[in-house]
Structures are given as structure tokens and as C-alpha cells.
Amino acid sequence: MRRRLSLPLKLFFFCFAFVLSCVILISQLSYQYIQKETRSNDNYYIKQILDKVDQYLTVNFSSFQTILFSLETSVQANLENPEVIRNQVRQLYEMNSNYVSNIYLIKSDLSIIGGSTPTRIFDEALPDRKPLFDAANRNKRSTFVSEPYQSVYSGWTVTMVRYLNGAPVPLAVAVDLDLNAIEATLFKIHKEEQLNLALVSASGNIIAGFSDNKGPQEVQEHTFAVGDKSGLEIIDTGGTSMQIRTREGKPVSILKQPTEKFNWHIISINDESRLKAALSRLQKYNAAILLSGLLLSLSIAYFIAKYIRNPLQELKKKMRRVEKGDLEAGPPTVRDDEFGDLARAFDRMVNQIADLLERSEAHNAMRRKLEIQVLQAQINPHFLYNTLGSISNVTRLGQLDKVDVVIDALISLLEYGISDASEEVALRYELQNVADYVAIQNIRYNRNFQLVEEIEEGLLDFPVFRMLLQPMVENSIFHGYSGGQIEGPIEIRAYREEGFTVIEVADRGQGIPEDRLGQLLKPAARETEAGRKRIGMNNIHERIRLHCGEPYGLEIRSQPGQGTCVRARFPAQLTKELQEDENLHLSHC
């Protein structure tokens, strides 16, 4: 058989699980919250850096615009003096060489007047200048910013070009941006903040950042891809942030932001190494909390279980002694708490039980003895009195042929009635006893009370109390037929119904008034006839309830002028155990 866990052990596991679950839940919720806040703060921090980069580009854009306007003004003022223009272009370049790769004028034949040393020497026409000149010619009122491209003299660059309005010949002023300087700034941020930053054009080409050895993934010919997404797809994807896995399956976070002045995007690709470092420290702290919670749970559960176990063990010992029949309360409990109250209440209960058992044993013995004596005293003398009266009547009337019948019936009634009133008998014997009783009453009253029996198959051997039916039949004669003044049938039926065995005695007499009907089953009710006490229905009713229980007993139905029906209800499967129980009680009397 599986061993049952004790309550203190269950309480130990419950307290341990409860406290540990609370600690785990709080620590995990805290960890998730801090992780979320850390990630949110990290994104906010990266967003701030992207804003700073955008501000840096905005300032550079303004500087480049100033250079273009300065060159445009200088050229317009010295259109008749080309040498002055050359010197001013060279001076502007030298002043801004930290930010630009070249400053020059583009002529309609695509030749230039350059500021950098190579372009001052080699000013021949180049095909890659045609898109720049055409764009400036189409947008004469604004500055055009090219896509990044590979220049012969400036390398990988972006050109800002503006058409020179008012010149006698078509001219455009141009500035090649120093993308190496911008990239150096981005790499500085990468080194300090552990962020991979890049400027990407609208077509997905890298303007600056993500070199071959510093980018998050392979970069070829100034294009890049992360996982299965190209740079152009990343730019075109809605939202400012996204989660992507690299070809190696490593998760990275991408934040993107368009620049204010250029048609570029600032992209940050973060492998969460900085975030993981912070979360790693947080995980160590969380593990320490869990370990502390485990020890705390064990300690709390142990002390609570110990506090509960000791008084329970003491109370359990007392209960075992009581279970074995030892009703001695034992030494009193000294604890001044609920367990002490419980133990003291148990001691008082045990003392009261011992006292009640003594009194109950004496009371039950006396009650059983008196009950049998009273029932026999009520029934047997009454039979004898009525029967002797009947013999007197038939003798006085000279009906000597009926004397033997009455005497034989009387002998049968006495033999049946003087036996133990608590003994069970089969229903068939009760019916025979009632037949003898009705035979005497027919002679006594000079009437023909016809006895009609309707017994369901199998119920003739149903065990009933001795002297059950005679008071019910007597009730029919006394109430239904006015004490023998009128005659009629007496019907006895026995049948099973809804879990009960029902035995009915019915007549077709004048019935019982409603005000008297409710009094017949009360203990104080006694019927009288010619100054003599009669047997009350309550004797039979209480006797059935005493041995069978509350749901059982007598039920009397009567309607004036139509008759009376007395129904006795028993358990459907009443057996000889009733007799054995009764005999057991009598053995103690």
C-alpha cells in the first residue's frame, strides 16, 4: 500500500513550493522587466547616437552648401579673370581639405577647373562628370547630391553640384565629399560605443562605414546584405527597427533613420554584445536571488512544518489511545495558541464521551426494557379484555355454538400476543393473527367485517413486528365502522413502491374528522372506548421509526364518508437483522 504523506510533510512541501515559486516569479518578472527596460534604453541610446550622426551630417551639409555658395559668388565676380578663379578654387579647397576631397568647376565640355593638386594638373573631360553636369542643369535652383560613385581623382565619393546661374557659358560648381573623414567618424563611434554604423544611399549602396574588416558581414563593391536581406530591402522595409539573423544564424538588431538633408539612411547593426554583457551581469544577480530564495524557502518551510508537527503529533497520539478504547485524557497541553485550544477541546470531548457512554448505556438498557413492557402491557391485556367481553355476549345471547370459535381464536391470540413483542414475524403470521382477531370482533358485534387481502408476490415472508396489524384493523372497526355499529370490508394490501415496502389497512367506513386525524400519531393520543384506554396508532408509528429510522412509520389518510387508509412504510429490503439488533438490545436489559 502506498505510504501516505503526513500533514507536516505536506505543509513543508507546500510552504517550500509557495515561497520558492514567489521568489522565482518575482525574480523572473523583475528580470524580464529589467531586460525590457535595458533593451528599450539601449534602443533609445542608439537612437540618440543616430540623431547625433544626423546632426553631424546636417552641419556638414550646411558647410558644403556654404562652400558652393562662396565658389558661386567668387566665380560670378571674376568671370573675366580665369586665373583669379583658379586661385580662389584652390584656396577654398585648401581651407576645407579636412572635409572635402575636391572643389571644382565643371564646364559644358566636362573639363574642370580643380582645387586639388591632381585636378589642377589633369583637367581633361571625364565621362563620369556628365551625369553631374546634366543634373545641375536640370535643377538650376537647387543643389543636387549624387549617388556614391568611384571618382578618378577623389576615389569613393559623393558630389554636391550646383548650376552657376548668370555665367556667360554653362558652368556648374561641385564639391566632392571626403567620405573617408565621415567614415573615420563612424568608426570612432563604433570603437567607443560598440556600434556598427553606416551611411547607405537610397539605392542601398554604402556611402561610409562597414569596411571589409569592421562590418558585420561581408561587404563587396560598396554593397551589403544582412542574412537574406539586401541593403535596399532593409531600407524599404517599414518601421525604424527590425530583427534579422545573419547567414551564420546570429541574431542582430537593425535600427535605421533617414538623414534630414541628404537622401541617405543611417543604419546601426547591433549584435547585442553590449546588451548581452549587461544582461549577463543581471543573470548572475538573478541567479544569486534564486539561490537565496531557495535557502529562504527551505528555512521557512522547515520552521513552519516544525511548528505545526509537534502539537499534531501529540494530538495524534491521544487520538490513537482513544481509538483503542482508552478514554483517559492524559496530561494537559501547555501551548497557548489554537493548537492548545484544539488539544484542550479534544480532552474535554473525550471526557464528555466517556460520561455520555456510561449514561447512554444505562439509558438504552432502561428504555428498551420499558418499551417492551409498555407495548406488551398495552396490547395483551386489551386483547384479553375485549375477547372475554365477546364470550360473555355470545353466552348471554345463547349462541353457544360460537363459544368454541371464540375460545379457539382467543387461544391463538394469547399464544401469539404473549410472545416477545419485539420479535419479528413473517407477514403471513400477522395476517393469520388479524383473521383470528376479526373473527372475534364479528362474533362480538354480530357483524360481518370481511377481511380482504391483496399481497404482492414475495411479501408474505416479509419480516414485520409482532402485533403490527391488529391495532390498525382495530382502528378501522373503531373509527371507520363506529365501534361495530355498521359493517363493511377491511382491506389489507402489501406492495413495493419507490424503495419502500408498504402495508395498508383500509376501510370504507365513515372516516375520521380532520381535526382528529392529526392527533392520532401524537404520543399523547389515546383512544377510549366505554371508559377504557385503547391502543394508539402512535405506538406502532414510534415503534417503526425507532427501529427503521425517520423516513418510515405510519401515514393516515381519511375522507369523511369515504373511509380511512393507514399506510405503514418499511425499508424495501428489511431482513432478519432487525430481529438480531432487537435481541442484542434485549440481552443488555
Side-chain angles (χ1 to χ4, degrees):
M1 184 176 65
R2 187 167 59 93
R3 185 175 181 181
R4 180 171 57 93
L5 293 178
S6 63
L7 178 60
L9 189 57
K10 291 180 180 178
L11 189 61
F12 171 82
F13 287 125
F14 174 78
C15 294
F16 173 73
F18 177 76
V19 177
L20 184 60
S21 299
C22 290
V23 173
I24 293 176
L25 178 62
I26 293 174
S27 64
Q28 290 304 309
L29 289 177
S30 301
Y31 178 77
Q32 294 297 328
Y33 175 78
I34 296 174
Q35 184 184 46
K36 181 180 178 181
E37 288 298 309
T38 303
R39 189 179 298 277
S40 176
N41 292 336
D42 187 67
N43 289 338
Y44 176 79
Y45 176 71
I46 296 175
K47 181 67 168 55
Q48 293 296 313
I49 293 178
L50 297 184
D51 289 339
K52 294 296 183 182
V53 174
D54 187 29
Q55 293 175 9
Y56 165 76
L57 294 176
T58 300
V59 171
N60 281 351
F61 183 84
S62 299
S63 299
F64 300 149
Q65 285 277 54
T66 301
I67 293 172
L68 290 175
F69 288 142
S70 298
L71 182 58
E72 182 178 0
T73 302
S74 177
V75 171
Q76 289 177 345
N78 298 281
L79 288 174
E80 302 299 331
N81 194 344
E83 190 61 32
V84 173
I85 294 175
R86 290 181 184 275
N87 290 333
Q88 289 182 344
V89 170
R90 180 177 56 81
Q91 291 175 0
L92 277 173
Y93 167 72
E94 291 174 352
M95 291 174 58
N96 298 280
S97 59
N98 291 333
Y99 305 100
V100 298
S101 297
N102 197 11
I103 300 175
Y104 51 96
L105 293 174
I106 304 176
K107 301 178 183 179
S108 57
D109 62 355
L110 302 183
S111 63
I112 64 171
I113 299 176
S116 65
T117 300
T119 56
R120 289 201 300 271
I121 300 173
F122 303 101
D123 59 356
E124 73 278 6
L126 294 176
D128 57 6
R129 298 188 186 124
K130 180 173 175 52
L132 301 175
F133 187 84
D134 291 344
N137 192 28
R138 289 193 303 270
N139 302 278
K140 294 181 179 181
R141 299 295 179 183
S142 61
T143 302
F144 173 74
V145 181
S146 73
E147 285 287 309
Y149 67 99
Q150 187 70 34
S151 171
V152 175
Y153 299 108
S154 298
W156 186 250
T157 187
V158 170
T159 300
M160 293 178 62
V161 61
R162 184 177 180 86
Y163 189 79
L164 187 60
N165 294 299
V169 294
L171 286 175
V173 292
V175 175
D176 288 347
L177 275 59
D178 188 356
L179 298 184
N180 289 328
I182 297 176
E183 191 171 56
T185 301
L186 297 180
F187 288 157
K188 182 179 180 181
I189 295 175
H190 167 76
K191 183 177 180 180
E192 293 177 352
E193 307 297 342
Q194 295 183 342
L195 288 178
N196 289 308
L197 297 178
L199 293 176
V200 180
S201 67
S203 61
N205 291 326
I206 292 179
I207 297 171
F210 293 167
S211 67
D212 290 342
N213 60 347
K214 294 182 180 180
Q217 197 161 318
E218 183 181 5
V219 178
Q220 294 180 350
E221 297 180 357
H222 299 282
T223 61
F224 80 102
V226 179
D228 57 352
K229 286 187 177 292
S230 65
L232 183 59
E233 289 176 327
I234 293 174
I235 293 174
D236 290 340
T237 302
T240 60
S241 63
M242 57 195 314
Q243 298 288 328
I244 300 179
R245 288 189 176 274
T246 64
R247 292 193 184 101
E248 293 78 15
K250 184 179 181 180
V252 293
S253 300
I254 296 181
L255 269 72
K256 58 183 180 178
Q257 178 177 319
T259 60
E260 182 180 355
K261 297 298 183 179
F262 296 96
N263 189 23
W264 300 343
H265 281 78
I266 310 171
I267 293 181
S268 166
I269 299 183
N270 181 20
D271 63 357
E272 299 188 352
S273 57
R274 183 178 64 260
L275 181 62
K276 288 180 179 179
L279 293 179
S280 176
R281 293 191 296 270
L282 182 62
Q283 287 175 348
K284 293 179 181 179
Y285 178 73
N286 188 59
I289 292 178
L290 291 178
L291 180 59
S292 301
L294 176 63
L295 297 177
L296 179 64
S297 303
L298 286 171
S299 301
I300 293 176
Y302 172 75
F303 285 111
I304 291 178
K306 182 179 179 181
Y307 184 80
I308 300 295
R309 182 189 61 215
N310 293 340
L312 284 181
Q313 290 292 339
E314 187 65 27
L315 186 59
K316 189 176 179 181
K317 290 179 181 178
K318 291 184 177 181
M319 289 181 175
R320 285 177 178 172
R321 290 203 305 269
V322 173
E323 185 179 7
K324 293 178 180 179
D326 182 7
L327 297 182
E328 294 293 332
T333 301
V334 296
R335 288 189 60 147
D336 190 17
D337 55 14
E338 287 78 2
F339 287 106
D341 295 340
L342 181 62
R344 285 186 288 273
F346 180 77
D347 292 342
R348 290 193 298 270
M349 182 188 70
V350 170
N351 292 331
Q352 291 174 357
I353 289 175
D355 184 54
L356 288 174
L357 284 176
E358 292 178 2
R359 288 188 290 174
S360 177
E361 184 176 353
H363 173 75
N364 287 337
M366 182 61 68
R367 188 187 67 174
R368 294 289 181 178
K369 182 177 180 180
L370 292 176
E371 177 190 79
I372 301 304
Q373 291 175 352
V374 169
L375 289 175
Q376 288 180 332
Q378 287 179 333
I379 295 175
N380 294 336
H382 189 67
F383 288 160
L384 182 59
Y385 181 87
N386 284 339
T387 304
L388 291 176
S390 298
I391 294 173
S392 177
N393 288 337
V394 297
T395 304
R396 186 176 61 252
L397 295 175
Q399 299 175 348
L400 300 179
D401 58 323
K402 297 181 179 180
V403 172
D404 289 339
V405 177
V406 175
I407 292 176
D408 290 341
L410 176 60
I411 293 173
S412 297
L413 286 175
L414 289 176
E415 289 179 348
Y416 190 81
I418 64 176
S419 300
D420 188 353
S422 65
E423 181 184 353
E424 283 185 38
V425 296
L427 180 59
R428 66 173 72 250
Y429 298 117
E430 268 294 286
L431 293 173
Q432 180 60 47
N433 181 64
V434 168
D436 292 334
Y437 172 76
V438 171
I440 293 175
Q441 298 301 336
N442 284 336
I443 295 173
R444 176 188 177 191
Y445 294 111
N446 195 24
R447 300 291 183 185
N448 181 20
F449 298 112
Q450 183 182 2
L451 196 62
V452 180
E453 299 177 1
E454 295 181 12
I455 309 301
E456 184 178 309
E457 183 179 356
L459 291 182
L460 282 175
D461 293 320
F462 184 78
V464 296
F465 297 116
R466 187 184 295 272
M467 303 301 263
L468 169 72
L469 296 179
Q470 182 272 327
M472 299 164 66
V473 172
E474 184 179 8
N475 181 76
S476 294
I477 296 175
F478 181 74
H479 288 290
Y481 298 121
S482 300
Q485 295 180 18
I486 58 178
E487 65 181 24
I490 298 175
E491 301 173 356
I492 300 178
R493 290 184 289 271
Y495 55 90
R496 295 181 179 91
E497 177 185 67
E498 297 180 356
F500 299 99
T501 295
V502 179
I503 300 175
E504 290 183 353
V505 176
D507 62 69
R508 300 180 185 178
Q510 60 184 3
I512 304 173
E514 186 175 352
D515 58 339
R516 288 186 54 80
L517 190 63
Q519 303 296 322
L520 293 179
L521 297 183
K522 292 184 178 180
R526 293 289 187 274
E527 302 296 339
T528 60
E529 179 184 13
R532 297 185 297 271
K533 289 186 177 180
R534 293 172 44 80
I535 303 171
M537 290 292 100
N538 71 292
N539 282 324
I540 306 302
H541 178 62
E542 291 299 331
R543 199 171 170 201
I544 296 175
R545 287 161 61 92
L546 178 66
H547 296 285
C548 298
E550 293 294 326
Y552 309 100
L554 294 186
E555 178 184 359
I556 303 177
R557 299 177 181 177
S558 182
Q559 293 185 2
Q562 296 186 17
T564 302
C565 177
V566 181
R567 304 174 77 239
R569 292 197 303 177
F570 295 90
Q573 300 297 329
L574 191 63
T575 65
K576 287 296 180 179
E577 292 177 1
L578 187 61
Q579 179 182 353
E580 295 173 1
D581 179 68
E582 181 68 15
N583 292 337
L584 179 62
H585 284 290
L586 288 174
S587 65
H588 293 289
C589 296

